[in-house]
Amino acid sequence: MKVATLRSFLSVHTWVGLIAGMALFIAFYAGAITVFSHELTGWQNARAVAPAADAQPMQAAQALVDKVIVTHPGAAEAFYLILPGEHGPEPALYWYEQGAGGNVAHHFRLAEDGSLRELPQRSGFVDFIYDLHFTAGLPRTFGTYLFGIVCILYGLALVSGVVIYAPVFLKDLFALRWGRNVKRLWQDAHNVVGMLSLPFHVIFAWSGAVLTLGVLLLAPFQFLVFNGKLMEVLESDFELAAHVAPAQRAAAALPVAELMARAQAASPGLAADSLSYHDYGDANARVEVYGHLDQQRLNRLAGVAMEAATGKVLRVVEPASMSPGMASLRGLQTLHFGDFAGAPVQWLYFLLGLGGAFLFYSGNLLWIEARRKRRQEVQPRRTQVMARLTLGVCLGCVAGVSALFIAARLLPEGHEPTLYYAVFGLTWLWAVVRPAARGASELLWLCAVLTALVPVAGLVGPAGLMAPWADPLVLAVDACALVLAWVYAAMARGVRRRALQGEPNSVWSLTKATAPQ
């Protein structure tokens, strides 16, 4: 390959990585944690007060539905019921009300005394970390579309990186050259992590773009191919049963427990976790039961559509009977979230997520070091700005996420966004006002301390202190937190050592050496 062509690919790889790198750091760091979203919901509730022995899950779900319909009759038009289980120990109900500024989301649960309580649409630290993965903490719609663009740039960075590294792929694949040249070591680590995890990064870039920009990608087909009728063509894929007009005649819906029994009879082995209702209490009411069904396929989503009043089964959709397009989309979602093959794949995705975060963090550090003026005491402003931005955004995310875990134990539900933004903002501000060489070490110590406090907060529960080994899930979270805290502390010591003993005339150095006269 010509040198000029290689330089062009290097320029593309560098600038695309810088533009998208910090957003992708947040996406990968938060994404590594969301792989265990169901388990973390259990971790948050591991020390919660146990429900009464006679409180059956289906009875609790039915009580929630009845309470919402009585209190908010408008919810009968359409609402979504989440059953107790992997999404949490309590049933939850979502209702989207048409308002002046668009749909207004309502999230309901039952209080301990049986009264209705309304929470933010997405409450709990697990939901917030999930939103971070797709939006980086930006407003949900804007952040999601922005991340779609970032995923496209991410794919471009992958292609250019492969072209750059391919000529020396076998020679330098496992080369980790230890020594005084720290930049070369970081370059080797960056290349090794990037190339060994390349297939997974291709999956993440592709699926991320489809999941965030899918609606926009359909727009050309909607207007140029299907003459505005694409949604009608896709209706059978996105809805189990076609919507019918209300009969304007009252008819009581079957209890949740009865609907669940009929759905499982129609689809043996279905592990249902949610129900979607339309026109509740009407003779034409419809209910769709969704869950998972293992059929030795990548996609496990299944559903049963029924008449809510009679329980008559209208349609059954299982992984083996899905249309090719919907099976591909659901399979892509499964690949993106690692929701297959159980714990081994979850841990693999967790490590890949952390490795991806390292990839983007190290890429920024390499760019900064590559532009160091070795004979110049004052470094270019662009490298100083990039160093501070990298520290503020990346370490602000790490510190903020650790603070979320602590708050999940010690603060009432609903304070997660405020706490994260406060920690992130203060961390970013500290990175801006402090010299990068000092700020890097200080902020890494902050991340280490906050992460080490997660096991301490994990000891706290409604009944008081509890041994960490009393719950295997709590013990696993505590162990991961302690390992990460040790990593951040080691990085803080390394950064401090580099600042005092490393090569001078760098944004990471506290020593200066001027050129000889």
Side-chain angles (χ1 to χ4, degrees), residues 24-78:
L24 287 169
F25 178 94
I26 298 176
F28 270 78
Y29 192 81
I33 297 171
T34 58
V35 171
F36 295 105
S37 58
H38 297 320
E39 289 79 2
L40 288 175
T41 300
W43 173 84
Q44 185 178 12
N45 297 292
R47 304 195 194 284
V49 177
D54 59 348
Q56 299 298 322
M58 295 301 105
Q59 293 177 359
Q62 186 63 55
L64 176 60
V65 172
D66 295 340
K67 197 75 173 180
V68 170
I69 295 300
V70 170
T71 310
H72 302 278
E77 182 179 351

Side-chain angles (χ1 to χ4, degrees), residues 16 29 36 40 80 99 110 144 157 161 173 175 203 211 316 322 335 339 348 359 367-368 391 398 413 457 461 478 482:
V16 168
Y29 192 81
F36 295 105
L40 288 175
Y80 196 67
L110 289 177
T144 300
L173 180 58
I203 291 172
L211 296 178
V316 177
M322 276 190 180
L335 281 174
D339 189 19
L348 176 62
L359 201 64
W367 182 90
I368 294 166
L391 293 175
V398 173
E413 195 174 39
D478 292 352
L482 290 175

